[in-house]
Amino acid sequence: MSKHVLKAMLERQPAQGPETVHIDITNGCNTNCITCWDHSPLLDVAQTSQWKRNRARVEDVVSLLAELQALGGTKNIVLSGMGEPFTHPDVYEMIEAVKDRGLSLTIISNLVATDADRIVDSGVDQLLIGIHGASEQSYLAFHPNFRAVEWQKLLAMLDRFKARARRFKHVHVIANTNAHELVAMIEFAANYRASQVNFKLASLRAGTERCRVDERQREQLLGENIAAATSRAKELGVETNLAVFGQQLLAGGEATAPISEVGCFMGYAYARVLVDRTVLYCCNTEVEVGRLSPSSNFRQLWRGEAWSAWRERFHRGDYLESCRQCGKFNQNVKLSRAFAQKYGEVELLAVTGRALGAQPKFSSRRRLPILKGAE
């Protein structure tokens, strides 16, 4: 973790730009993961076809990269989207634009829309490969429109990465279709030489709640499955975030992240830019800070009233209800630990609004007054 991020958290004012910027390049997707808030077949109301056709333009991505480098501090770019980035016809041009600037590049992908050799040859530093199952049965249950051919293509891609000695991360969003496969997921990762396995409890809403782990599955995960998977990972030398995943499960019910116990620091380390150029404080679409335009560039937003207001709100331990399903919980845990190690537990309590026994709040964005500019 960069020292400038930790110092910014302490001083509550960033001297440089975000270390990581997540750029959405497409809303379209080639699959329909059951947990997805945009493409799941379980959604009460589906996204429109027009929304799904929206894509970022290469020139807008290039312009943003230039802004970020002028601001300073940005080291990592994530190319992703509300859909699958490799469905964008210009994705490799965007990859080249990132790598030409000497930035580290991560892509979040299910891999099916591209090929392994082209990814490796393009210079991508890291892939977060959304797999969500260690068997064909659970993989297809999680991706209802996929068939055996997509599973076989995924395995062939992973074999090719292994042959070319490229190690990437496997991601498993845990729902009721795959909760029984934790140990198998570890063994799957070891077989394909994954650099790490990240587990995430599915954050669900708008109809997708039907694939939430039930209480029996939650008890099994906490009672034996995580322990067994942790032991197997140690035996096989597989790095995981199983301890953090356990914290997510302990949040209980609809919650997937005990965010008040950790704090939110994304406003110093991270930003996300959507296809329509809306800029988010984190990955939560409720936490908007503005929109990029000729009259409002990234620097102005980063140092502006709205972003500052959100930072101060979360420093007070004043969260949105949606923060109970924090999508950046893993990263917040890392930041919290690094901050406590550098500045101590007392300072950590202060920057998370927990000093003197203060209690966190969770409120609707609509009903809760917040600082000027935060809306």
Side-chain angles (χ1 to χ4, degrees), residues 214-233:
D214 61 33
E215 287 309 306
R216 179 185 60 81
Q217 289 174 313
R218 189 186 299 269
E219 290 175 6
Q220 288 178 337
L221 285 163
L222 288 168
E224 55 190 71
N225 292 1
I226 288 180
T230 300
S231 176
R232 191 64 173 138

Side-chain angles (χ1 to χ4, degrees), residues 7 14 23 41 59 62 68 74 96-97 131 138 143 177 195 218 229 251 254 263 266-267 270 291 339 343 349:
K7 185 178 180 183
I23 305 173
E59 55 264 41
V62 170
L68 293 171
T74 299
E96 184 177 359
I131 301 175
S138 63
H143 308 84
T177 57
S195 60
R218 189 186 299 269
E254 296 181 3
M266 288 297 99
Y270 174 93
R291 183 170 294 187
F339 184 89
Y343 296 113
L349 291 175

Side-chain angles (χ1 to χ4, degrees), residues 111-148:
L111 295 184
V112 172
T114 187
D115 67 81
D117 287 315
R118 192 168 186 188
I119 290 175
V120 173
D121 293 340
S122 70
V124 171
D125 297 277
Q126 184 58 267
L127 287 175
L128 298 182
I129 305 170
I131 301 175
H132 319 306
S135 65
E136 180 178 324
Q137 181 180 8
S138 63
Y139 179 79
L140 298 184
F142 199 95
H143 308 84
N145 72 322
F146 278 177
R147 297 294 179 261

Side-chain angles (χ1 to χ4, degrees), residues 140-160:
L140 298 184
F142 199 95
H143 308 84
N145 72 322
F146 278 177
R147 297 294 179 261
V149 63
E150 280 84 16
W151 173 247
Q152 293 303 321
K153 181 170 185 180
L154 171 67
L155 298 186
M157 295 269 281
L158 297 177
D159 266 328
R160 189 61 185 150

Side-chain angles (χ1 to χ4, degrees), residues 7 9 50-51 67-68 85 100 111 118 122 138 153 199 207 212 216 249 259 273 285 290 297 304 325-326 336:
K7 185 178 180 183
M9 290 160 56
Q50 181 178 353
W51 181 89
E67 284 187 50
L68 293 171
D100 282 350
L111 295 184
R118 192 168 186 188
S122 70
S138 63
K153 181 170 185 180
F199 297 93
R212 178 178 293 128
R216 179 185 60 81
L249 286 162
I259 192 64
V273 181
T285 55
N297 63 30
Q325 295 191 340
C326 176
S336 179

Side-chain angles (χ1 to χ4, degrees), residues 162-229:
K162 182 177 177 181
R164 295 197 61 177
R166 289 303 310 270
R167 304 185 67 189
F168 297 121
K169 294 182 181 180
H170 292 186
V171 177
H172 295 284
V173 173
I174 301 301
N176 58 16
T177 57
N178 58 14
H180 59 291
E181 289 193 334
L182 255 62
V183 172
M185 290 167 177
I186 297 296
E187 293 171 344
F188 185 91
N191 180 52
Y192 290 105
R193 295 185 51 78
S195 60
Q196 184 173 334
V197 185
N198 283 354
F199 297 93
K200 181 182 182 298
L201 186 62
S203 300
L204 303 168
R205 69 178 186 188
T208 61
E209 298 91 342
R210 283 172 280 177
C211 59
R212 178 178 293 128
V213 296
D214 61 33
E215 287 309 306
R216 179 185 60 81
Q217 289 174 313
R218 189 186 299 269
E219 290 175 6
Q220 288 178 337
L221 285 163
L222 288 168
E224 55 190 71
N225 292 1
I226 288 180

Side-chain angles (χ1 to χ4, degrees), residues 31-47 52 144 205 207-208 210-211:
T31 191
N32 58 347
C33 298
I34 56 173
T35 61
C36 181
W37 294 356
D38 298 302
H39 300 279
S40 173
L42 303 177
L43 289 170
D44 295 328
V45 180
Q47 293 282 13
K52 292 180 181 181
R205 69 178 186 188
T208 61
R210 283 172 280 177
C211 59

